[in-house]
Amino acid sequence: MNIVLISTYELGRQPFGLASPAAWLRKRGHAVVCFDLTRQSLDDAAVRDAHLIGLYLPMHTATRLAAQLIPSLHEENPQAHLCCFGLYAPMNVEYLRSLGVETILGGEFESGLVHLAERLGANNRASAGAQPEPLVSLERLTFQIPDRSGFPPLKDYANLVMPGGGYRVVGSTEASRGCKHLCRHCPIVPVYKGVFRIVSREVVMEDIRRQVAAGAQHISFGDPDFFNGIRHALEIVDEFHREFPDVSYDATIKIEHLRKYEEHLPKLKDTGCLFVISAVESIDDAVLARLDKGHTRVDFLHVVKMFRQLGMTLHPTFVPFSPWTTMDSYLDLLRVLHGEALVENLAPIQLGIRLLIPEGSYLLHLDDVRGMVGPFDGQALVYPWKHTDARLDALSDEVQAIAAASDRRKDSRAAAFELIWKAAHAAAGMIAPALAPLPEAAVPVPFLSEPWYCCAEPTQAQLVSIGGAAKKTEQAVATADGFV
């Protein structure tokens, strides 16, 4: 069977969500062609020849881009069976079905894709009514080594920007999926509901070996939380460093886990971890409680201090604009980031991000959230909300514009922060005090060239810019968002 798998966006990485099912399907004799539309143009001939077209939806941005692409896929090949798979697929069932998507697979989707391909083959590619594959599968899979053949070279993806200049080629992999925590704003929770699944160490290591052979000098672990399975993670980094002592890596770990397992942090540093990404979201304890993040402001400050003492780099990420943000709390966040010498540690866009409330969000379990959101927006794929203080909605837009302009000008992070500092004080009706010189600890740090963000609404500029080489997708999104 001819199968086309499409990724519209995965944070500037080679999409694991295509490479993994491609290995499963090719092993069973199917002809699989993969397209990463952030780096490749879609081949119309391949689409016309496809019996099954699968679109990978790991996040909100990818889903919005895919939704704009689906009509042209129907037009190009009305006979092809359309399938959407990945985290955001089961969260948007009704909307995707309205677009003509016949099969939707969430959770551990590889075996579902294999079953679908075999079912279509047995029925001579005819659909057989309601899908028999589970909408969400949490079965324990025996993962295959991802097949990354056909993707652009790693050097064409997001790279690692080193302090003082220079770059490293970045590969990526996943050692686990899902998450054992239930943070209310997290899109993983409605699908995995506190479950996580391990990718075997042998598969992870072989995936890394192949990427290092292809030129990777740094590996980004894409797990939602690398320390969900702490023993598994430590065994991987030990073997990784023994085999590749000159290759560095990064991982994403909750503040809660960084405190709980702080005795293991020196191990990360000793095995080549250049930085840890952590979704802090807020430093307001009331907001953190509503999000059920599992940490407090004090926990965050403790982790910052601990990383500084160990000589490690923490990249905190934030969703600073939520319905519970106040002008005072936003200014407090800026003061803390500056005072803790973290200005260089986060992309300026992090300071303009608004909370996203998608279908299925556990935030909708809160009475006050249900009372403040508008009807579900099928185009934006969110429950829209407005702040009771209109100044904060306007400030979010302004900060996003400052971040985008600063990025175009190649401003330093410190320069962008100063502009945001002044804009925030002006929005509060205050004269911005002069920023004290950054502490000696505020030195440039390594970071990925494509900013990490999650649980947030992408800006219109982001949606257009990450269309990449996929002209049809980019134009469709621009039209939908009112650009042309």
Side-chain angles (χ1 to χ4, degrees):
M1 175 174 290
N2 294 334
I3 301 174
V4 169
L5 300 180
I6 299 170
S7 171
T8 56
Y9 182 58
E10 197 173 4
L11 293 167
R13 302 164 173 158
Q14 275 191 351
F16 184 93
L18 297 194
S20 179
W24 286 63
L25 292 163
R26 287 169 179 155
K27 185 176 181 179
R28 288 156 179 82
H30 299 290
V32 181
V33 182
C34 296
F35 294 101
D36 177 357
L37 299 192
T38 66
R39 300 298 187 275
Q40 298 168 293
S41 294
L42 192 59
D43 185 334
D44 291 342
V47 171
R48 286 193 295 269
D49 290 342
H51 306 123
L52 168 61
I53 300 174
L55 295 109
Y56 177 48
L57 311 182
M59 58 188 297
H60 182 265
T61 304
T63 307
R64 289 192 62 186
L65 289 165
Q68 303 305 325
L69 180 63
I70 285 171
S72 68
L73 296 175
H74 275 304
E75 183 178 347
E76 200 72 57
N77 185 349
Q79 303 305 314
H81 185 102
L82 287 190
C83 170
C84 285
F85 61 98
L87 191 66
Y88 266 76
M91 292 172 64
N92 293 285
V93 173
E94 292 183 12
Y95 177 64
L96 294 172
R97 295 243 190 257
S98 75
L99 296 176
V101 177
E102 297 175 82
T103 301
I104 295 170
L105 303 171
E108 306 302 280
F109 50 75
E110 284 87 349
S111 63
L113 277 169
V114 169
H115 186 273
L116 170 62
E118 293 174 350
R119 171 167 65 89
L120 294 176
N123 292 326
N124 196 26
R125 300 190 296 279
S127 297
Q131 71 175 65
E133 297 83 16
L135 187 68
V136 173
S137 171
L138 298 180
E139 67 176 306
R140 296 181 186 275
L141 300 179
T142 302
F143 285 95
Q144 306 295 310
I145 299 163
D147 186 343
R148 299 176 180 273
S149 58
F151 290 127
L154 291 174
K155 66 180 179 59
D156 291 349
Y157 284 84
N159 45 46
L160 183 72
V161 182
M162 297 299 292
Y167 299 87
R168 291 185 186 176
V169 176
V170 175
S172 60
T173 192
E174 294 181 7
S176 64
R177 284 184 181 164
C179 186
K180 64 183 180 183
H181 296 276
L182 297 172
C183 305
R184 287 194 181 97
H185 64 307
C186 180
I188 297 170
V189 173
V191 175
Y192 280 88
K193 296 180 171 61
V195 171
F196 75 101
R197 292 288 180 247
I198 291 297
V199 181
S200 75
R201 180 159 46 95
E202 293 75 16
V203 169
V204 176
M205 286 304 303
E206 183 57 29
D207 190 26
I208 291 172
R209 288 185 193 103
R210 295 181 181 187
Q211 291 183 79
V212 172
Q217 301 162 303
H218 177 91
I219 297 294
S220 186
F221 286 97
D223 309 42
D225 192 311
F226 195 52
F227 273 8
N228 265 324
I230 180 70
R231 186 175 67 178
H232 178 57
L234 295 179
E235 288 175 349
I236 285 174
V237 298
D238 271 335
E239 184 172 349
F240 172 88
H241 188 62
R242 283 196 304 270
E243 192 164 342
F244 304 109
D246 297 324
V247 179
S248 55
Y249 69 92
D250 69 82
T252 300
I253 305 174
K254 284 171 63 72
I255 293 294
E256 179 181 357
H257 281 165
L258 293 173
R259 282 220 69 172
K260 181 177 180 180
Y261 301 119
E262 62 183 82
E263 72 272 19
H264 296 298
L265 294 187
K267 165 87 74 177
L268 295 184
K269 182 182 179 183
D270 292 343
T271 54
C273 183
L274 283 189
F275 57 88
V276 170
I277 300 167
S278 192
V280 180
E281 318 301 30
S282 176
I283 59 170
D284 183 327
D285 283 340
V287 175
L288 291 169
R290 285 184 175 276
L291 300 182
D292 200 11
K293 276 298 296 179
H295 73 260
T296 65
R297 176 190 183 108
V298 169
D299 292 329
F300 167 61
L301 294 175
H302 174 83
V303 169
V304 170
K305 180 180 179 181
M306 185 169 49
F307 267 62
R308 185 171 298 128
Q309 290 173 342
L310 291 169
M312 297 179 67
T313 297
L314 179 71
H315 283 312
T317 65
F318 294 93
V319 182
F321 289 95
S322 75
W324 311 286
T325 303
T326 66
M327 196 63 75
D328 285 345
S329 70
Y330 188 79
L331 292 174
D332 177 54
L333 172 64
L334 298 184
R335 285 191 291 268
V336 169
L337 292 174
H338 188 271
E340 295 293 332
L342 292 171
V343 170
E344 294 287 345
N345 295 53
L346 74 161
I349 190 61
Q350 288 290 330
L351 295 174
I353 286 176
R354 281 172 53 89
L355 180 68
L356 179 145
I357 306 178
E359 190 68 83
S361 171
Y362 272 34
L363 283 169
L364 296 169
H365 294 181
L366 299 177
D367 291 340
D368 64 333
V369 172
R370 290 197 304 274
M372 74 174 64
V373 299
F376 185 72
D377 184 334
Q379 181 181 338
L381 302 182
V382 296
Y383 286 91
W385 59 271
K386 290 186 178 180
H387 204 285
T388 54
D389 184 344
R391 296 177 302 169
L392 285 160
D393 287 335
L395 179 58
S396 174
D397 291 340
E398 185 176 2
V399 172
Q400 290 175 10
I402 289 171
S406 295
D407 184 60
R408 288 193 300 271
R409 293 192 301 262
K410 310 290 186 189
D411 290 349
S412 69
R413 289 181 167 187
F417 182 88
E418 185 169 4
L419 293 174
I420 293 169
W421 173 264
K422 291 177 179 178
H425 282 83
M430 303 166 59
I431 297 175
L435 284 168
L438 285 170
E440 192 173 315
V443 297
V445 296
F447 61 89
L448 296 175
S449 60
E450 187 150 347
W452 186 100
Y453 63 94
C454 185
C455 309
E457 298 181 29
T459 66
Q460 292 179 339
Q462 286 169 331
L463 278 171
V464 173
S465 67
I466 61 184
K471 301 297 184 185
K472 291 183 180 179
T473 304
E474 184 173 323
Q475 291 168 1
V477 173
T479 302
D481 285 334
F483 277 86
V484 295

